[in-house]
Structure formats: C-alpha cells, structure tokens
Amino acid sequence: MKLYGYFRSSAAYRVRIAFNLKGLTVEQVGIHLVKDGGQQLKPDYLARNPQGLVPALELDDGTILTQSLAIIDYLETVHPHPRLIPVDPVLAAKARAVALTIACDIHPLNNLRVLNYLKGPLGRTQEDVDQWYRHWILKGGLEAVEALIEGERFCFGDHPSLADICLIPQVFNARRYKIDISHLKKIAEIDRHCNEIAAFNAAHPSQQPDAD
Ligand SMILES: N[C@@H](CCC(=O)N[C@@H](CS)C(=O)NCC(=O)O)C(=O)O
C-alpha cells in the first residue's frame, strides 16, 4: 500500500496515526502542497484524487481510496484490532461526533486552498486571514471539542479512538499557526498524553521522510 500525503497535512497525519495504532506499515509518497504551485494539483496526482487533496491511499491492487475518515474506516473494517471506534454505541457516537466536528466543521474552513483563496482572489490581508483562521478553529471548534470530550488521557474511554486521531493533528495545526489554546485544559492534557505514545509520536510531521 502507498499513502500519498504531506508531512504537515493534518488529514494525512490522522491516517498515519491510524496505521501506527493498528501496527500496519505503509509506503509513504510525499506530495508537496506548496512546491511547484502544489503537486496535489498536477495531472498525475489529480488522476489519483480528483479533489487535489491529500491523503490518498493506493491499495496493492491499484485501487485508490480518498478522504482520511473513509481511509480510516477501511482500515478499521479490514484490520478491526485494536479498535479505533469504541465498542459502546454511545461512546462510539460521541467519538465520531468529535472526529466529525474537527474533520467537517473546523478543518475545511482553514485548509490551504481556502486561505489561499482569501489571500489571492478575494484580496484579504494576512491579518484578515489570520483572524479567519483563529476564529474558526476556536469558536464552535476546539472550544466545543473541549466541552464534548469526557476522558482525561483520551477523549473517550481508556484507549485512543477516532476522536484522538483527529484531535492531535488539529492541535498541532493550531500551535503551528500560534493560536493560543492554553485555556483548553482537557485538550492540552490529552495532547500531552497521546504524544507520549509511540504510534502518535511516529506520525508527527517532524518524523516524516518528506519533512522540510
Ligand atoms: N476531508 C479531507 C480533507 C483533505 C485535505 O483538505 N487535505 C489538505 C491537507 S490537510 C490538502 O490536501 N490541501 C491542499 C490544498 O488545500 O490545496 C480528508 O479528510 O481527507
């Protein structure tokens, strides 16, 4: 299997954590999102993912899967242990809700192509773009996640779940953009704890072969 990703991509980071938690290996192929005007927009990559987004997972038979949560769902189905979705149906729904809050409601508003569109065609200043980023990552975003999570070491239950897999990369992003999240105490504790686990640590952007 080949995972097309980018070291700083939080969506690819989610998939790397899932692979590591399941003890699976995958060949990584770097798609540089900035170099050459963005390698994700070149015809050879668009043939793999017509959305021009990473990650994409190429299976051994050549099938391509896109969308990080769909890829993780595929891994969960094919390699069910250890589980990334809690067995308890209520906890499972809560873990999915946190994952979807991040993947559907926070991340798309702050994605590279959205920020570039604000700066380019819409002519907004860097200050406007920074304010946009800060607003959408906090309001109804990580501040809501802070209220939703129930665990102390992980978002829900005693094991890392899809919620943690989505949370840790989003926290990395927030810090990278120098967003003050120090008031989010539960998130800070879960982030600290997860980053001590080898599966999370090895998935960190700084550990990737394509890291700048
Ligand atoms: N919903 C998609 C989001 C994928 C996505 O937005 N990836 C970003 C990197 S985190 C990307 O490829 N951005 C390229 C761009 O904005 O041009 C998923 O979860 O896989």
Side-chain angles (χ1 to χ4, degrees), residues 9-11 14 33 40 52-55 67-68 107 111-113:
S9 153
S10 53
R14 294 173 198 150
L33 298 188
Q40 74 278 21
L53 298 172
V54 295
Q67 288 288 342
S68 60
H107 179 268
N111 200 2
L112 180 65
R113 61 184 180 174

Side-chain angles (χ1 to χ4, degrees), residues 50-120:
Q51 276 197 292
L53 298 172
V54 295
L57 180 70
E58 189 171 326
L59 305 183
D60 291 339
D61 68 359
T63 302
I64 309 267
L65 304 179
T66 62
Q67 288 288 342
S68 60
L69 296 194
I71 293 170
I72 294 170
D73 189 52
Y74 165 82
L75 293 180
E76 183 79 344
T77 306
V78 176
H79 302 279
H81 302 291
R83 291 181 64 100
L84 303 179
I85 301 289
V87 181
D88 178 87
V90 170
L91 280 189
K94 289 182 174 183
R96 285 195 173 98
V98 163
L100 293 171
T101 300
I102 293 166
C104 300
D105 298 336
I106 300 179
H107 179 268
L109 288 166
N110 288 344
N111 200 2
L112 180 65
R113 61 184 180 174
V114 172
L115 304 183
N116 283 346
Y117 193 73
L118 288 170
K119 258 189 284 188

Side-chain angles (χ1 to χ4, degrees), residues 178-196:
K178 304 195 177 4
I179 309 297
D180 182 9
I181 54 167
S182 56
H183 57 302
L184 307 178
K185 306 285 185 213
K186 286 194 274 180
I187 288 180
E189 192 50 30
I190 290 169
D191 181 60
R192 190 192 61 74
H193 182 252
C194 284
N195 278 308
E196 287 173 352

Side-chain angles (χ1 to χ4, degrees), residues 1-5 19 25-30 56-58 60 209:
M1 284 187 287
K2 283 185 191 164
L3 178 63
Y4 295 84
F19 263 96
T25 53
V26 64
E27 180 188 341
Q28 290 203 48
V29 182
L57 180 70
E58 189 171 326
D60 291 339

Side-chain angles (χ1 to χ4, degrees), residues 6 16 24 56 64 67 81 85 121 143 145 151 165 171 180 186 211:
Y6 177 59
R16 295 195 300 261
L24 302 169
I64 309 267
Q67 288 288 342
H81 302 291
I85 301 289
E143 288 176 355
V145 170
I165 287 173
V171 169
D180 182 9
K186 286 194 274 180

